Amino acid sequence: MATVRLNGREAQAHAGKSLFDYADFMKVRVPSSCGRGGSCHECVVEVKEGLEGLTPYTRDEYFLSGGYRLACRALITDPPQDIEFALLRRQPRILAEGVRRRVDLDTRVRRDGDEVTVGGQPVDSYRGRILGLAIDIGTTTVAMNTVDLESGEIIATSSFENPQRFGGSDVMNRISFDIGRNRGELRLAIISAINFEIGELVRQLDIQRRQIYEVVLVGNTTMRDLAFGLNVQSIGVKPYKSLVELEYEAGERAGMILEYNAQAVGLRICPKARVYGGPIIGCHVGADVAAALLAVSMDEQEEPVMLVDIGTNTEVVIGNRHGMVAASCPAGPAFEGGEVTYGMPGYDGAVESVRIDSGAARVSTIGDAATLGICGSGLVDLLAELRTHGLMNELGVLSGGAREFPFAPEQGMSLSRADISALSQAKAANYCGQYITLRHYGLPVEAISRLYLAGGFANYLNVDNAIDIGFVANFPAESVVKVGNAALEGATIMLQSQEHRRRMESLARNAKHIELETTPDFFDIFVEGCMFKPMPRIVT
């Protein structure tokens, strides 16, 4: 008997039923605002098994391929066969720890008698609460804080998988996707997902959408501009600059922020609420990095510090309040769940740490769940353990000519030579960004007071292992500080304080961006970075 599976649940397959029908039956909410007419493009799902058991792609699905379908348009064929599908809303692990910076409450949204004002302008009558949202749109994960703007308190933190992955796993693929007939589909996906999450918060917190009066939105340059509906093609070609940055350089705008009302952006909150896109620093170094720098008090630092925000696109910044240099590394998704056979993001069931004992891997998984794959922190551990125990050389070659190393043999999961190659190149991109930025700044690591590691992935890294394989610069362990989702914290500060928002805008304008690919010896550094060994402490 053929079955349909979703979120671990199972039902008998019936010809003519849509995937949306099965989501309803299994009580799984699917985003949709068009009455299942195929026009809103919000109900994208990923078919993991049995794609050939569904009706062909329809005209409404012109922008989809590779197993992605609209749930309302994908019908079970006759005869039915086994099908497994998933929503593009898997729940990542929410960071419970990270940097927290206390600032004086100085919001732009305020109560004035029976009115709510934004920047002194009345926008609504007072409805009992004044709320704001801080949102960090990552390439892989979206994180959100709901903030009481009368007290400054964070009343909820939530996160969800970025649903834009049907357009590619990295920034450059999504830029390419957002062309021609596909233009606007990625924007629609992220705005729909944020609106869906707001709906969930409304139910959970017993609040009203119209009580949300300001949103601070950060992300890398592409993610931010896509959310605001800007054309991102210029970010994908030299000199890799957003339209906003090009206009700023031409003297056509005062800074590199974005700001519109909620109705124009498409967010279903108070229509006159303001949506503020944080300042980008330059090229691919975006508003998420600016927010992270605010979270670690870059606007007050006298001694030089280094920030490495690790992700699909890793950013590196070195400096202090007087000036800074920044670079972006297109690391790709290998450490984020892509390009590795059993790789996956940091969800329940992902191997998050590994040690090798007597030649065999001993693993632990997120949530102590059954092993489903391996995430970035587990991959770093596995690579470092293979080196430590002499099971892999610095070139990434497994001992004895082995083609793979089993890390979860009971599940038939292993790390292959092809996986190691993909990881070495992703690591090399991170290596280049850190090495070249350190060299440009001109100080050895001992002269830099702190190395801040930001991002969900970095928060669970074994730092010693990351240093041993050259994934992270070779800082003394006592100088390394994990700061969690610093971008979300910085976005929250921008909600809470107008003064700190202005400071970050000023600091971002004065940053110097380094173009890694124009470095004369870039290829030599990249080759060195492919090796699984520590980075020199003094770079030359």
Side-chain angles (χ1 to χ4, degrees):
M1 183 180 296
T3 61
V4 177
R5 297 187 300 277
L6 169 64
N7 287 7
R9 304 171 194 177
E10 189 173 289
Q12 184 177 346
H14 292 284
K17 294 285 187 181
S18 72
L19 296 184
F20 216 131
D21 293 333
Y22 281 94
D24 284 345
F25 179 75
M26 298 176 192
K27 295 182 169 52
V28 176
R29 289 189 66 228
V30 179
S32 179
S33 61
C34 71
R36 310 188 188 188
S39 61
C40 74
H41 294 181
E42 296 176 12
C43 64
V44 179
V45 296
E46 181 180 9
V47 181
K48 294 179 170 293
E49 179 186 339
L51 182 64
E52 62 278 7
L54 297 170
T55 51
Y57 283 83
T58 65
R59 289 182 179 180
D60 295 320
E61 298 172 288
Y62 65 84
F63 63 101
L64 296 174
S65 62
Y68 295 99
R69 297 295 304 267
L70 291 179
C72 69
R73 286 291 172 265
L75 309 182
I76 309 295
T77 57
D78 189 11
Q81 68 177 72
D82 289 346
I83 291 170
E84 181 180 0
F85 72 103
L87 273 64
L88 304 189
R89 287 189 61 82
R90 290 179 293 183
Q91 178 65 55
R93 175 167 50 177
I94 298 175
L95 287 179
E97 300 177 358
V99 64
R100 289 289 181 270
R101 181 179 180 183
R102 302 299 176 189
V103 297
D104 292 334
L105 195 61
D106 173 31
T107 62
R108 190 166 58 161
V109 185
R110 300 184 180 181
R111 180 182 179 182
D112 184 2
D114 293 330
E115 291 185 321
V116 176
T117 65
V118 178
Q121 299 298 313
V123 296
D124 199 8
S125 57
Y126 183 68
R127 298 172 182 271
R129 300 192 80 167
I130 298 177
L131 304 174
L133 299 176
I135 306 175
D136 171 30
I137 303 178
T139 311
T140 303
T141 302
V142 181
M144 180 186 303
N145 275 343
T146 305
V147 182
D148 185 322
L149 296 181
E150 294 180 281
S151 67
E153 176 190 3
I154 299 171
I155 61 175
T157 299
S158 55
S159 64
F160 55 90
E161 188 173 27
N162 188 324
Q164 296 172 325
R165 61 190 174 95
F166 64 79
S169 58
D170 59 30
V171 163
M172 298 306 284
N173 277 319
R174 291 189 195 169
I175 292 171
S176 297
F177 183 90
D178 193 53
I179 296 173
R181 293 182 70 196
N182 294 335
R183 180 87 168 86
E185 293 293 345
L186 295 178
R187 175 187 174 277
L188 180 63
I190 192 61
I191 295 301
S192 170
I194 293 171
N195 281 329
F196 187 91
E197 188 67 23
I198 292 170
E200 295 289 288
L201 291 169
V202 164
R203 280 181 286 276
Q204 294 167 11
L205 303 177
D206 192 26
I207 60 176
Q208 303 171 29
R209 290 177 179 271
R210 290 190 65 110
Q211 291 174 324
I212 301 172
Y213 295 102
E214 185 165 35
V215 176
V216 170
L217 189 155
V218 301
N220 65 50
T221 306
T222 302
M223 294 299 102
R224 186 200 72 162
D225 286 9
L226 278 173
F228 282 94
L230 273 64
N231 189 324
V232 295
Q233 291 185 45
S234 64
I235 309 173
V237 295
K238 287 186 178 182
Y240 307 110
K241 295 182 179 182
S242 135
L243 292 178
V244 173
E245 185 173 3
L246 294 172
E247 290 170 1
Y248 170 70
E249 291 177 344
E252 296 171 7
R253 57 168 60 234
M256 291 193 283
I257 67 165
L258 291 170
E259 190 168 9
Y260 300 92
N261 66 41
Q263 190 170 36
V265 175
L267 293 181
R268 295 199 289 272
I269 54 178
C270 175
K272 294 183 179 178
R274 302 302 292 173
V275 183
Y276 171 89
I280 60 175
I281 290 176
C283 298
H284 289 285
V285 185
D288 52 348
V289 177
L293 293 171
L294 187 59
V296 300
S297 305
M298 180 67 90
D299 56 312
E300 296 178 349
Q301 299 279 359
E302 288 292 342
E303 295 183 318
V305 298
M306 180 171 174
L307 173 83
V308 179
D309 192 341
I310 301 173
T312 309
N313 222 57
T314 293
E315 288 85 22
V316 182
V317 183
I318 306 176
N320 55 22
R321 71 183 185 89
H322 302 293
M324 56 191 181
V325 295
S328 176
C329 328
F335 285 95
E336 299 267 330
E339 299 180 356
V340 173
T341 308
Y342 297 102
M344 66 178 288
Y347 307 127
D348 284 351
V351 171
E352 63 175 336
S353 65
V354 181
R355 64 182 179 85
I356 292 177
D357 183 13
S358 301
R362 304 284 184 262
V363 305
S364 61
T365 62
I366 297 174
D368 293 323
T371 304
L372 299 177
I374 185 167
C375 65
S377 60
L379 288 166
V380 168
D381 280 0
L382 180 53
L383 292 167
E385 285 285 286
L386 289 171
R387 288 285 297 120
T388 297
H389 293 274
L391 298 173
M392 181 183 79
N393 65 22
E394 66 180 25
L395 298 176
V397 178
L398 294 170
S399 62
R403 300 189 64 84
E404 59 185 23
F405 179 85
F407 64 85
E410 292 182 2
Q411 290 78 20
M413 296 181 183
S414 61
L415 186 74
S416 70
R417 289 170 59 181
D419 296 334
I420 294 170
S421 176
L423 292 166
S424 73
Q425 292 180 64
K427 186 190 76 69
N430 283 283
Y431 183 102
C432 285
Q434 296 172 67
Y435 185 99
I436 293 171
T437 308
L438 279 164
R439 186 174 69 178
H440 187 94
Y441 201 74
L443 292 178
V445 295
E446 287 84 356
I448 297 172
S449 61
R450 288 285 184 275
L451 168 60
Y452 294 111
L453 296 180
F457 171 19
N459 202 65
Y460 301 103
L461 272 180
N462 179 310
V463 172
D464 290 335
N465 284 344
I467 290 172
D468 285 347
I469 64 170
F471 188 81
V472 170
N474 196 358
F475 274 70
E478 63 274 13
S479 299
V480 181
V481 181
K482 296 177 181 179
V483 292
N485 191 341
L488 182 61
E489 173 66 12
T492 304
I493 292 169
M494 291 181 192
L495 261 182
Q496 296 166 328
S497 171
Q498 298 179 85
E499 169 60 24
H500 284 81
R501 189 183 298 191
R502 287 189 290 267
R503 285 190 198 177
M504 198 60 243
E505 289 175 8
S506 175
L507 193 59
R509 283 195 297 269
N510 294 323
K512 180 176 181 180
H513 181 263
I514 304 169
E515 295 183 20
L516 299 180
E517 67 280 1
T518 63
T519 303
D521 57 348
F522 175 82
F523 182 74
D524 294 335
I525 298 169
F526 186 88
V527 171
E528 185 76 9
C530 284
M531 298 185 189
F532 294 97
K533 64 179 184 179
M535 184 187 299
R537 286 197 170 180
I538 299 176
V539 297
T540 56

